[in-house]
Amino acid sequence: MEVKVAEILFLRSIERHKLRYVTLVSDGDSKAYNRICEVVPYGEAQIEKEECLNHVGKRLGTALRNLVSDCSKRKLTLGGRGKGTFTQKAIRKLSIYYSRVIRSAPTAHEKQRAVLASLFHCYSTDNNPQHQFCPVGKDSFCFYQSALAKKETPGPHSVHIHTPLNRKLLHSYIYPVYRRLSDPALMKRCQLAATQNANESLHNAIWTKCSKEKFYTRRTVRFRATSAIAEFSAGPIWAHKKLMEAYGLATGADSTRLARQRQQKRLDDSQYAAKKKMVKRRQQRREARRKLLAELQEAEGGQAYGAGIA
């Protein structure tokens, strides 16, 4: 279905909208892109393929969990509870690191270095520091490079490395995964920082009105899909009014009231989500201030003033 839809959209873009699409954002499935390259909608003009960052960000976690499972079948233990092993918590953290760096680094080369830095930084120990890929400078996230830039002695790795990995045990297994997922060609397709969030949200709106698990007539499917797209783009009130006019139906008081209720619920949900994010940001800032104050007090010899302190 996606292949056919992509073909229709690209072939009619000039005739209907007087424009050419220059990129195709996909989730890793190349069938739609290969089909567009076959039909050649714009002659010699090439179409670039861009990756969805959300889907790319999930690949590392999936690959590492599959790696642990495959090694377990071969009687090789990469997981477990020991320090430096591949626990589920460590895999989750590494996946978060990977997702962050491919979003934050601007160029493909910097993305590749940042991905490798997220791995080698976790390998580091006091006897064998592995910070060659970490960014340099006083503002570097890497405590080692930051200390060197400030001409200070770096602190112990046991304190600053929050996801330690045993290099001797893991490197030969996980490095090929990182090398594949930091390939320059893949990183170049992530430079646009594109996502399919809007598409997924639209799909959810359509499937809510027209479930994939039930049979509907063609007329019902077209009406409900049109209704969902109109509501998604312009809101329930406008969509209700225009659809009633297009289908020659009378607009009743009850249907208008329900449309207003749906639109108000949409606004309330949006405001609530924004409020939750704002509360979370305040909590993070408050926690950061608390940690900074605790570090300053510790450096000065402990708390000097407080309830119950003589």
Side-chain angles (χ1 to χ4, degrees), residues 5-17:
V5 169
E7 179 181 348
I8 293 173
L9 291 175
F10 275 77
L11 288 176
R12 75 183 188 187
S13 65
I14 295 179
E15 178 182 355
R16 179 172 293 189
H17 303 294

Side-chain angles (χ1 to χ4, degrees), residues 132-148:
Q132 61 271 27
F133 295 106
C134 296
V136 298
K138 298 180 180 180
D139 298 328
S140 174
F141 78 87
C142 176
F143 75 98
Y144 191 88
Q145 294 288 3
S146 178
L148 293 181

